[in-house]
């Protein structure tokens, strides 16, 4: 029984307990805390030196002649462990931030835990079937979370989000099937390590890699809101309840990138190379097109939604350049963006709840009434803008260095993104927290007492990773080197 | 094989005997209809028990008409389960069938017998007889509520189109007989092997496919489905959507596995079935989008699932046929859950439209969650059985080179998610239209839980169901 | 031991942020002790008692190794002394200046953060470490300018400062990337720079790196944020926008001079940028009425001088002027601060007048500072400016004459504000009741005044410390020209504003700051707003509505059409059935 | 004129089948539709008998009996349905029963 399975069981049993009447917030907080501590313990135990998968547990799930075998195969390496850590931390923060007496609390917390369970399952499983199935856990809970507890025009937004992600995951399913279909009968397996092993010895002929990679890239791209497939994300996050937005934008979105990193690019290098110009062009759309549209946003949550879509551009750049620097940057930035996006969405939730207002034109001077929330927003904003001393900077730096050698001019344009993000992020700080306090916001009060701890957790994580990236880069670096040495 | 093996055919015999006995008993002793229902359940159980000892035997009896192998056994077990579930639905829906005389319970016995017979068919004559037994009983059951114009209209439509299909079927069989000189499956296979596929044989195959297409409700023979699903009493709609469709596919598998298996035939029917599959998937999912009446929506959904099943059949491979069987089991669990919830709602004077479902989550979480899980499984979202079924079917199709079909299937499935999500939305988002919790009999509660847990568990831990399906296909060589 | 330089202020900033924000007394104490520790360590390092510590690997991946270490060569030691010294004086001064401000705890925390990042820049051993602290300085200046965040103007000024710096940092990062790509390392390693020598990328890399300096040291075109930065409290202006932060740009140029000298074209561009900035700033300064804005433009002008010096390959001259300028400009700002403190934040010089009699100490020290800045012989300003003029004369004569003209203008506007503010009759009610600031603000003024006088002379040893050899052929033309320029400026100032009661000559071009702000607002900001609105519109309507919902509409339209197929009429069903059968026949017999 | 070959029978049964099919499509009255269905089934019977006669295989004719019984059953159910429909709606026209649509 690998500790990873324990992680999954803890969350699953928490959901069970909630459905049988246990107090929802307490149970989910307990489960999230246990999981976070367990993942920290895992991190400490993780032997950074050698690459390969640790804490492996594998049972034979289906082994029938004629059908690719499916195994319950869990394990983490330098790439997925940081994401597990991110998931457990953001889950703890998201559950903590959620109000205890929310309507239909049991359902709310069980859906939240389902989201987190889906992400966790996806990051630990090394079998394509479970990898895909776990992620899909989150589709309906997100729909219900946004639909029932969401805010303005939640009806339309949640349906659009669910259908869009449904389409994305089905395209992804087609991609997986195309990938497996392209292999000779004997080698067909859902097991990622064995697939990687096999495809390293005898890679598919390039023309056979085009269609599977295109489908996988489109599927993962939609789940990660790559440029043209992003319409679901910004307003989906804007009208989602704070905790759901934290989990979805912070954690679940990384599934697509992790998928590209673990499945699409290593198994189909020829396809990746062939489609690279397209991916580069699209990620430019993310950085510039979405970057500028973010500047024009008039509401705080929508702006944060757009901003999280814009940041995906960096991650795709890191993936496209496919070298140790780029990939380590991607893994690091995934964690960092997860933390900063979670923090910002939590603050947006607080502002919406305590000030009762989200439009920039109506807000202002909240720093006087809500100093702690202002500091949290400032830290989150500086992190997402990529200021050194906070986690995003090392990630972005590595990606820029990783991709500079192969396409300097292109990277230069992408680096301009740091100015765009500074423009819209500081505009938000200025119009929400600085300036004079309008009359109708006088009664807004600050987050008090234990409510501050989730924010402090996220801020501490951002600071620690920012000041000393070595804490994570040690694990990530060796993991990536081991990972890339396979190709 | 001496005739002494008669006992093997016990399930069909028991069902028919039970049916006749109950008919007599009911007309003489005026039994109360609920009691008859329970008795019918008992008959099904007895038939099931008789099945157990003969699971591993393999035999071909009645001068090659009737075969008994693992495929037949699992088929019969499947249809017995379907029979019991329909009877249970009728028991639950008691109030809605005013003139609920006992026939409403007894007729499905004959229908199940016909379906069980179909599983062991090895000859076109037996095929025709068994198929007609099923179809005709369903004619009566669909039009059972004489006081309700919709039921009558549905019955009339089902009868006319059914009649047409039967005519085509018989003409097909005639031409196949004419071309090969025999109605035995293995004789036809031998003929095709030696003489190849002539135009007459092809003509016969075409007409045969028309007849079977009607049964499976695949496009372009789906015309009857939406209206009949909407009009028929809910238990019968369930029976149609699962029982009759499964019967159609069992026959299709039997027919394609033995007589039409050689490559010469396949060159003809594979592209044809692939086209039917694509059309059904697209039409089923698209036409369901604007639907508001749930039974009509499930009608279109059944057409789309016929399409997905046809994708499995079109991939003409071991994995393809195994995936069809697995998909049918997933479809069984999901559809019956949905219809059980519908029946319970109808009893609480609730209508059949999606609006009537609104706020169900607050009125009765169990029902809401069961219906939601059924919808999600039909939509093919993991971790439910529906998803794994689709995964298998797509994988089989891709391996046998039908790449375009998989893409069309995926696109249609994506479009299809909308109407399933609409049902979930109505139940979980809006506030209840009809007030008050819904009384659910403990046994029904148990059944719902079993179906839900089964749908999730076997969606993840697929080994037992899949082994059953694969074994069946392997076992059907006879 | 040397790590204390960085750790002390960082720890103090963290402590203030986490614990002491609500107790000003404690945070002041922590922050001042941290500043004192850095000053003492700097002295220890200068005296050679403390060695540079081993460097730590911040990022160590194949292809990129970033270290956090310390270079403590003479350049760094001089800068450390100046920065920590001035910073300590300003901390003391702030005790008095911020005495009655409720948020002063937060203020001192942010001062410590700034001090840490400034020291970080000085001691950094490689480009990335410098870039890290470069941005952190930008962040702390954002926090400090926006200290009174209730004031809309302060909030906007803070944002403007950060964005301008950010644009500069963008260029700086590109420069680092180019350098790294060609030389393979990010460390300040002249040997590695060989890779860049003949390369055509050299001027590009140099100019990109120079962008960082343009942003930070407020050179044209990224200078618009400095005057607005005066919104911050005066100690902030004194520390950041006079002595230290803005000087970081020049220090960076000197530190990476081994890259700049590889391309003469880049050097001339740098020199000309410096020259033009100096001239333009001096011209604008002559027409400003707000005492802090005049000093801000004067800082910009002096920075122009230093950049000019670096452009003419006179790094020692630049550093010399940087140090002396640090002293007397901090003095001038603190003097102005104590005047504002006394006049309840009245900043317009025409509403002051006759303050000198009421505040003799401030007047005296401010006078010394003004004289040093104007370049009156005998004071530190004269020597360092002389040095720059020498280097300019030797390499680029045209720039020498611009520099000389700017020297005259400097003298002119300094006499203008000194006369108008301190002499003559008090023009407003508040000016009449001005009284001398408390001693805690006075002492730093006196110390700095002393330094302003003494710093220029050789015995103080700045030049010696920088290791500059006496260059033999000093053309006599330079001292003559600079002396006449100073005299001209002084007399013009005295004549113009001896007994003036209101501004007589108003040149709108200068008064409106060459309309830079308007041009920027109209071009960059407008362009950006329009582009943003257009793209957001496209995203919402073309992609969001048209493509996505359009697609969904087509699908539902298809559904609608197929639905209508089912017309309910039995005979049509039979017809469709027959059609289907026919279709199958056709297909089977078709191919 | 030559003897009557299998082909002639098949042509006749094909014609009958087509007439039956056309009848179901064109005629409005349900009763007539039932009759047309009967015609189609009998066409199939004809071809069955013809095939079994010419190929000397008795099995074909066995199937004819089943087809006849099924046809009878079908009509019986159809008429019962028609009666209850008539009692309900006073009509047997196919146009009247179009409540279930779209």
């Amino acid at each position: 029984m690998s500790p990873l399975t324990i992680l999954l069981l803890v969350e699953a049993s928490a959901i069970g307990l909630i459905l049988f009447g246990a107090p929802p917030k307490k149970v989910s907080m307990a489960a999230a805390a246990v999981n976070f501590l367990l993942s920290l313990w895992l991190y400490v135990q993780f032997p950074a030196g050698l690459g390969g998968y640790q804490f492996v547990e594998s049972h034979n799930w289906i082994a029938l002649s004629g059908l690719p075998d499916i195994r319950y195969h869990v394990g983490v390496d330098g790439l997925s462990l940081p994401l597990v850590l991110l998931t457990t931390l953001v889950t703890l923060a998201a559950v903590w931030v959620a109000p205890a007496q929310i309507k239909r609390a049991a359902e709310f917390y069980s859906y939240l835990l389902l989201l987190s369970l889906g992400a966790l399952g996806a990051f630990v499983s090394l079998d394509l079937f479970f990898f895909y199935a776990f992620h899909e856990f989150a589709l309906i809970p997100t729909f219900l979370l946004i639909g029932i507890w969401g805010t303005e025009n939640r009806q339309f937004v949640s349906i659009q989000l669910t259908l869009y992600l449904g389409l994305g995951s089905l395209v992804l399913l087609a991609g997986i099937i195309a990938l497996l279909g392209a292999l000779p009968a004997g080698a067909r397996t859902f097991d990622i390590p064995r697939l990687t092993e096999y495809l390293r010895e005898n890679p598919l002929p390039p023309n056979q890699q085009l269609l599977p990679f295109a489908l996988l890239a489109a599927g993962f791209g939609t789940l990660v809101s790559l440029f043209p497939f992003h319409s679901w994300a910004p307003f989906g996050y804007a009208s989602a309840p704070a905790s759901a937005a934290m989990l979805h934008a912070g954690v679940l979105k990384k599934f697509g990138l992790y998928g590209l990193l673990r499945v699409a690019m290593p198994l189909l290098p020829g396809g990746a190379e062939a489609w690279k110009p397209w991916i580069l062009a699209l990620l430019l759309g993310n950085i510039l097109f979405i970057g500028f549209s973010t500047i024009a946003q008039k509401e705080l949550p929508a702006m944060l939604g757009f901003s999280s879509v814009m940041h995906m551009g960096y991650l795709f750049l890191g993936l496209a350049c496919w070298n140790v620097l780029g990939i380590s940057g991607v893994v690091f930035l995934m964690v960092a963006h997860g933390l900063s996006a979670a923090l910002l969405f939590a603050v947006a939730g607080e502002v919406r709840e305590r000030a009762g207002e989200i439009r920039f034109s109506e807000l202002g001077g909240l720093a006087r009434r809500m100093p702690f929330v202002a500091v949290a927003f400032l830290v989150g904003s500086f992190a997402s803008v990529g200021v050194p001393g906070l986690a995003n900077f090392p990630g972005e730096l590595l990606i820029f260095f990783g991709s500079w050698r192969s396409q300097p001019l292109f990277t230069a344009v992408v680096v301009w993104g740091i100015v765009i993000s500074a423009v819209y992020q500081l505009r938000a700080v200025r119009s929400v927290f600085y300036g004079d306090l309008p009359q109708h916001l006088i009664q807004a009060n600050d987050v008090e007492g234990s409510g501050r701890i989730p924010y402090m957790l996220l801020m501490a994580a951002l600071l620690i990773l920012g000041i000393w990236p070595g804490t994570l880069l040690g694990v990530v670096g060796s993991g990536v080197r081991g990972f890339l040495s396979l190709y | 094989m001496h005739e002494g093996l008669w006992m093997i055919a016990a399930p069909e015999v028991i069902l028919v005997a039970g049916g006749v006995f109950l008919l007599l008993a009911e007309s003489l002793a005026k039994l109360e209809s609920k009691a008859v229902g329970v008795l019918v359940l008992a008959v099904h159980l007895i038939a099931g028990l008789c099945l157990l000892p003969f699971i591993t035997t393999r035999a071909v009896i009645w001068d090659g008409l009737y075969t008994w192998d693992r495929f037949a056994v699992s088929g019969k077990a499947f249809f017995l389960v379907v029979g019991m579930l329909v009877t249970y639905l009728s028991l639950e829906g008691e109030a809605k069938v005013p003139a609920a005389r006992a026939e409403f319970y007894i007729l499905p016995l004959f229908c199940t017998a016909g379906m069980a017979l179909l599983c062991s068919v090895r000859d076109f004559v037996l095929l025709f007889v068994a198929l007609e037994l099923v179809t005709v009983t369903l004619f009566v059951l669909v039009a059972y509520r004489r006081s309700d114009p919709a039921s009558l209209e549905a019955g009339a439509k089902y009868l006319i189109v059914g009649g047409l299909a039967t005519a085509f079927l018989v003409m097909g069989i005639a031409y196949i007989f004419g071309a090969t000189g025999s109605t035995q499956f293995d004789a036809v296979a031998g003929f095709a092997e030696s003489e190849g596929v002539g135009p007459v044989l092809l003509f016969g195959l075409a007409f045969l496919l028309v007849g079977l297409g009607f049964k499976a409700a695949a496009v372009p023979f789906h015309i009857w489905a939406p209206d009949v699903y909407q009009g028929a009493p809910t238990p019968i709609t369930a029976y149609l959507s699962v029982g009759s469709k499964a019967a159609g596919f069992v026959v299709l598998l039997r027919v394609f596995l033995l007589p039409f298996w050689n490559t010469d035939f396949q060159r003809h029917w594979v592209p044809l079935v692939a086209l039917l599959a694509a059309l059904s998937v697209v039409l089923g999912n698209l036409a369901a989008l604007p639907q508001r009446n749930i039974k009509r929506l499930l009608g279109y959904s059944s057409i789309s699932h016929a399409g997905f099943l046809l994708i499995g059949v079109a991939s003409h491979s071991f994995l393809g046929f195994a995936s069809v069987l697995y998909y049918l089991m997933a479809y069984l669990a999901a559809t019956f859950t949905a219809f059980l919830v519908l029946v319970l709602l109808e009893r609480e004077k609730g209508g059949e439209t999606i609006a009537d479902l609104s706020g169900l989550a607050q009125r009765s979480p169990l029902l809401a969650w069961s219906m939601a899980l059924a919808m999600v499984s039909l939509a093919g979202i993991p971790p439910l059985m529906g998803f794994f079924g689709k995964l298998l079917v797509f994988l089989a199709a891709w391996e046998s080179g039908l790449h375009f079909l998989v893409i069309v299937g995926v696109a249609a499935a994506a479009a299809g998610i909308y109407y399933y999500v609409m049902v979930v939305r109505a139940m979980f988002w809006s506030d209840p239209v009809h007030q008050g919790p819904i009384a659910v009999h403990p046994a029904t509660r148990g059944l719902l839980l079993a179906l839900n847990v089964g749908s999730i568990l076997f969606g993840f831990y697929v080994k037992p169901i899949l082994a059953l399906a694969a074994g069946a296909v392997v076992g059907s060589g006879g | 031991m040397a790590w204390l330089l960085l750790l002390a202020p960082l720890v103090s900033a963290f402590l203030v942020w986490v614990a002491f924000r609500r107790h000003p007394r404690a945070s002041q104490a922590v922050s001042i002790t941290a500043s004192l520790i850095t000053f003492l360590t700097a002295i220890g390092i200068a005296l050679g008692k403390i060695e540079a510590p081993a460097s730590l690997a911040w990022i160590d991946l194949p292809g990129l190794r970033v270290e956090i270490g310390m270079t403590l060569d003479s350049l760094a030691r001089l800068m450390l002394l100046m920065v920590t010294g001035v910073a300590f004086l300003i901390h003391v001064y702030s005790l008095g200046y911020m005495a009655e401000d409720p948020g002063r705890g937060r203020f001192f925390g942010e001062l410590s953060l700034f001090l840490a990042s400034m020291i970080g820049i000085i001691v950094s051993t490689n480009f990335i470490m410098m870039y890290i602290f470069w941005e952190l300085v930008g962040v702390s200046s954002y926090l400090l300018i926006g200290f009174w965040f209730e004031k809309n103007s302060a909030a906007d000024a803070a944002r403007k400062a950060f964005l301008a710096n950010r644009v500069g940092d963008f260029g700086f990062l590109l420069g680092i990337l180019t350098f790294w790509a060609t030389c393979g390392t990010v460390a300040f390693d002249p040997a590695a720079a060989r890779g860049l020598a003949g390369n055509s990328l050299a001027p590009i890399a140099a100019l990109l790196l120079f962008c960082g300096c343009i942003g930070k040291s407020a050179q044209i075109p990224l200078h618009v944020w400095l005057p607005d930065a005066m919104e911050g409290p005066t100690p902030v202006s004194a520390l950041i926008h006079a002595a230290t932060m803005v000087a970081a740009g020049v220090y960076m140029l000197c530190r990476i001079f081994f890259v700049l000298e590889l391309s003469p074209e880049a050097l001339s561009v740098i020199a000309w940028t410096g020259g033009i900035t100096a001239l333009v700033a001096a011209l604008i300064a002559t027409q400003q009425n707000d005492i802090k804005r005049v000093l801000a433009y004067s800082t910009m002008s002096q920075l122009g001088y230093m950049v000019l010096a670096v452009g003419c390959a006179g790094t020692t001259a630049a550093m010399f002027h940087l140090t002396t300028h640090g002293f007397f400009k901090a003095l001038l700002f603190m003097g102005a601060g104590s005047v504002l403190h006394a006049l309840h934040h009245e900043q317009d010089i025409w509403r002051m007048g006759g303050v000198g009699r009421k505040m003799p100490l401030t007047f005296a020290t401010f006078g010394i500072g003004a004289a040093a800045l104007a370049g009156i012989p005998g004071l530190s300003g004269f020597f360092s400016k002389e040095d720059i003029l020498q280097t300019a004369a030797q390499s680029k004569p045209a720039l020498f004459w611009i520099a000389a003209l700017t020297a005259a203008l400097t003298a002119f506007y300094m006499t203008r504000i000194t006369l108008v503010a301190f002499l003559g009759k008090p023009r407003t009610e508040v000016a009449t009741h001005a009284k001398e600031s408390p001693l805690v603000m006075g002492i730093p003024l006196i110390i700095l005044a002393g330094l302003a006088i003494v710093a220029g002379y050789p015995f103080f040893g700045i030049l010696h410390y920088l290791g500059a050899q006496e260059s033999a052929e000093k053309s006599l033309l330079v001292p003559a020209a600079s002396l006449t320029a100073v005299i001209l400026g002084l007399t013009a100032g005295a004549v113009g504003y001896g007994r003036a009661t209101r501004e007589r000559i108003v040149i709108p071009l200068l008064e409106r700051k060459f309309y830079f702000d308007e041009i920027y607002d109209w071009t960059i900001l407008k362009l950006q707003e329009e582009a943003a609105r257009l793209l957001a519109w496209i995203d919402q309507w073309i992609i969001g509505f048209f493509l996505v919902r359009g697609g969904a509409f087509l699908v539902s339209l298809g559904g609608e059409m197929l639905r209508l197929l089912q017309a309910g009429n039995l005979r049509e069903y039979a017809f469709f059935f027959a059609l289907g059968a026919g279709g199958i026949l056709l297909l089977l017999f078709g191919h | 004129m030559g003897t009557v070959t299998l082909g002639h029978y098949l042509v006749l049964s094909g014609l009958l089948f087509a007439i039956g099919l056309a009848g179901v499509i064109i005629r409005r009255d349900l009763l007539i539709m039932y009759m047309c269905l009967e015609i189609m089934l009998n066409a199939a019977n004809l071809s069955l008998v013809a095939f079994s006669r010419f190929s000397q295989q008795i099995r074909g004719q066995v199937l004819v009996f089943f087809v006849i019984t099924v046809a009878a059953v079908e009509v019986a159910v159809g008429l019962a349905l028609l009666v209850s429909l008539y009692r309900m709606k006073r009509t047997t026209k196919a146009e009247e029963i179009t409540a279930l649509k779209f």
Side-chain angles (χ1 to χ4, degrees), chain C residues 75 127 130 172 188 205-206 209-210 250-261:
Chain C
L75 186 68
F127 275 108
M130 177 172 265
F172 191 33
F188 294 148
L209 291 171
F210 179 54
V250 177
Y251 173 78
M252 181 267 283
L253 289 181
C254 302
R255 173 61 73 199
I256 58 157
F257 193 69
F258 64 91
V259 176
L260 305 181
E261 63 190 352

Side-chain angles (χ1 to χ4, degrees), chain C residues 398-418:
Chain C
L399 275 177
F400 166 72
W401 289 110
I402 291 179
L405 172 60
T406 319
L409 285 169
T410 315
F412 172 72
Y413 65 68
M414 280 323 286
T415 40
R416 170 173 175 265
I417 54 167
T418 324

Side-chain angles (χ1 to χ4, degrees), chain C residues 321 324 328 371-373 375-376 379-386 452 456:
Chain C
H321 190 58
T324 54
F328 54 73
L373 175 58
I376 292 167
L379 294 175
S380 59
F382 170 74
F383 294 103
S384 56
K385 201 172 282 185
E386 189 65 27

Side-chain angles (χ1 to χ4, degrees), chain A residues 211-226:
Chain A
L211 181 61
F213 186 84
L215 287 172
L216 283 175
F220 283 128
T222 314
L223 300 179
V224 175
S225 65
L226 181 63

